Amino acid sequence: MLSTTPILLTWVLVISPTLSRVDSYSSARKRQLREKVRKMFYLAYENYLTHAFPHDELKPLSKSFTDSLSELGNLKCGIRVLGGLVSAHILAIDSANRLVQGSYKNQLLTLAEDLGCRFLPAFNTPTGLPYAWINLKES
């Protein structure tokens, strides 16, 4: 299994091209931004639970839901599994929300790394656009 550092660094660069600007923020500004993101996450999550659970997606304007995965014929939720693993890892390492301290040893992050590595071949295309379907079995 590969080290987690290169994979995480790749994702950070893709998601946040302005990372160097964030480094120059004061610690108070970073806390303020972190709290804003936390509030936005919980607002979205609570609304999903209220208006859309257990369906695939919340339509925020109509406060209804859609089952886009079944509409597309893809019930296996690959990229959503990756996002779920990363999100669960972040929640698991948050000391304020940790249910059983000391028992979590980055198992979810290890699974996310493995799945992310299996997704990488989908981007080896002539156009650079990823394939919609790939085989996730180990080679």
Side-chain angles (χ1 to χ4, degrees):
M1 186 163 296
L2 298 174
S3 166
T4 55
T5 306
I7 297 298
L8 290 177
L9 182 59
T10 301
W11 283 104
V12 169
L13 292 176
V14 169
I15 293 171
S16 180
T18 59
L19 190 60
S20 60
R21 183 171 36 146
V22 173
D23 287 340
S24 66
Y25 288 164
S26 69
S27 60
R29 177 71 174 142
K30 287 178 184 178
R31 279 193 304 274
Q32 180 185 26
L33 290 171
R34 184 173 38 241
E35 186 58 29
K36 184 176 181 177
V37 169
R38 184 185 313 269
K39 286 180 181 178
M40 291 170 57
F41 169 80
Y42 282 109
L43 175 69
Y45 187 67
E46 288 165 4
N47 277 286
Y48 167 74
L49 289 176
T50 301
H51 301 288
F53 182 80
H55 301 280
D56 292 335
E57 296 178 49
L58 167 66
K59 293 181 175 182
L61 296 178
S62 64
K63 294 183 180 177
S64 61
F65 58 86
T66 181
D67 286 319
S68 62
L69 295 178
S70 60
E71 292 167 9
L72 295 172
N74 181 7
L75 294 175
K76 300 204 187 301
C77 312
I79 196 68
R80 290 173 183 225
V81 172
L82 179 60
L85 288 169
V86 172
S87 297
H89 166 73
I90 291 169
L91 290 172
I93 62 172
D94 183 355
S95 61
N97 294 322
R98 193 174 297 172
L99 298 176
V100 182
Q101 293 195 2
S103 64
Y104 178 68
K105 296 182 178 25
N106 295 327
Q107 298 95 326
L108 296 168
L109 185 61
T110 301
L111 290 171
E113 177 192 10
D114 179 61
L115 183 58
C117 289
R118 292 172 195 237
F119 283 156
L120 290 177
F123 294 89
N124 295 331
T125 65
T127 63
L129 296 173
Y131 292 116
W133 302 95
I134 60 168
N135 185 350
L136 294 176
K137 290 185 178 178
E138 284 188 274
S139 52

